[in-house]
Amino acid sequence: MKVVIVGGGIGGLSLGLSLCAAGLEDIDIYESAPVVRELGVGINVLPHAVRELTELGLQDELSQIGVATADFTYYSRLGQRIWHEPLGIAAGYRWPQLSIHRGELLGVLHRAVLKRLGPDRIHTNHHFSRFGYREDGGVWAEFVGRDAERVVARAESDLLVGCDGIHSSVRNALYPEGDPLRWSGVIMWRGVSQGRPFLSGRSMVNIGSSKRRTVVYPISRSQDERSSSVINWVATCKVSASEMPPQDWTYVAQREEVLKTFADFTFDFLDVVRLIRDAEAIYQYPMVDKDPLPSWDFGRVTLLGDAAHPMHPVGGNGASQAILDARVLARELALRQTIEAGVSAYDSQRRPATAAVVRSNRKAGPHRCQDLVEARAPEGFKDILDVMTRQELEAIADDYKLVTGSEVERLNSRESLSVTALAASESDVSGAR
Ligand SMILES: Cc1cc2nc3c(=O)[nH]c(=O)nc-3n(C[C@H](O)[C@H](O)[C@H](O)COP(=O)(O)OP(=O)(O)OC[C@H]3O[C@@H](n4cnc5c(N)ncnc54)[C@H](O)[C@@H]3O)c2cc1C
């Protein structure tokens, strides 16, 4: 089976590795950028996705560069503690939660693809433009160069997978009537700063509410060795502007605007103002998603990751859900009798699961406890249990784990998605290779 992957981001590279691990090796990845650049700021890989990267043999390398985040705390905008819980191994998972620089995660995946698939399998400077179905059931796809005028390649394959991110051209080709980005009215500013370790040194904190919030966590292991660590921060603000700012991962923000918006965010456990001031660059994005699609099943063409289900970056699920998509698609393709059956099984498992995450993230996912506190106790509280019951707090945290497939017991005990020789021989279907 020959597979063409459009997009060499986290989803596309994870798919290349997952297909290879499942025994499907005729894979080409076409990436629009001139080189696979290690861009972005911090990203979280949740235990359910770390499990998949571990089974792909990458955990040791990732653990060397990321931080195994140990605990998470919600604070109100006044810096009062609302909820605290352990994360990753400390929460009982068999896999850690990793906070990591997106570029470094991409680098690990990229190097593994070069090694396992071969150096000539990633085609950079190839921007997908259109595709068509062949009479024999296969698919052709055309790619243009940077000038967008000249066709630089026409690739033939048995399956085409659009992993080309939030502005996916493959999705546009499948849904030509248009499929707009939905803006929540929230602006996000993101940066990375050198700072003093805070709380446990491996803590993630979320301070504020839907109106103004910061999420902060370290993404380097340097706190083990020095008194300084690389700290990732995200600051979000609900604005009244009706026009959506540009959605461009490299759009640089005005530092003064961020400082003005978060001028009062200095707390005894963390100085957010200082982090904003010290960031080398601050990037700005609108918080956007898209409505869930009615189908990703187009026979020999499908979608994965942000191309399939762009979501608000709540709870670290953007990259994690893309990695899960990759593993499930590879497994289904390897174990089903036909490619069409594999794509259909992938669609029926992953589309409803990710649609639930998109919808939950629109309602602020687990962050909604902060909005409840702000509405019930706008001037602060003496004891959080005067404002919310323990059951309410627990229910919010547990609901989100259920939606994202990350409940401790369920994840620890569920069957592996790896296609082992045993799984293949036990299956009553033969691989469609
Ligand atoms: C430059 C960049 C920086 C980012 N920074 C952050 C961040 O700091 N924090 C965060 O939470 N998320 C960030 N993201 C998004 C995050 O990586 C995704 O939400 C998530 O990992 C899902 O991955 P994905 O592979 O589906 O999409 P992406 O990671 O967006 O990858 C899509 C890939 O497809 C390529 N592509 C796009 N159009 C075409 C085309 N027509 N033909 C061929 N290739 C194409 C893109 O260049 C990109 O490499 C960033 C994405 C990008 C592209």
Side-chain angles (χ1 to χ4, degrees), residues 171 175 290-298 302-305 307-311 321 324-325 328-329 343-359 403:
R171 180 174 175 134
Y175 288 93
K290 286 191 170 191
D291 290 338
L293 288 172
S295 179
W296 306 341
D297 178 2
F298 291 81
T302 190
L303 298 168
L304 183 149
H309 48 71
M311 57 180 63
Q321 294 295 327
L324 282 173
D325 291 348
V328 171
L329 179 56
V343 171
S344 170
Y346 160 70
D347 174 73
S348 57
Q349 288 171 53
R350 294 301 299 154
R351 196 168 44 78
T354 52
V357 184
V358 170
R359 291 198 190 93
V403 167

Side-chain angles (χ1 to χ4, degrees), residues 7 9-11 31-32 40-41 102 127-128 163-164 169 190 249 305-306:
I10 289 167
E31 165 58 45
S32 183
V41 285
R102 177 191 179 270
H127 185 82
F128 169 86
C163 306
D164 48 342
S169 309
R190 307 182 86 138
W249 293 115
D306 278 5

Side-chain angles (χ1 to χ4, degrees), residues 318-383:
S320 299
Q321 294 295 327
I323 293 164
L324 282 173
D325 291 348
R327 294 282 288 161
V328 171
L329 179 56
R331 179 185 167 86
E332 294 305 336
L333 287 171
L335 294 181
R336 300 276 166 175
Q337 224 152 24
T338 63
I339 297 170
E340 285 81 356
V343 171
S344 170
Y346 160 70
D347 174 73
S348 57
Q349 288 171 53
R350 294 301 299 154
R351 196 168 44 78
T354 52
V357 184
V358 170
R359 291 198 190 93
S360 176
N361 285 5
R362 264 186 198 172
K363 289 187 268 169
H367 302 348
R368 65 181 199 276
C369 64
Q370 293 168 307
D371 294 338
L372 288 170
V373 168
E374 192 151 302
R376 293 178 192 175
E379 302 308 324
F381 51 82
K382 274 211 180 85
D383 184 340

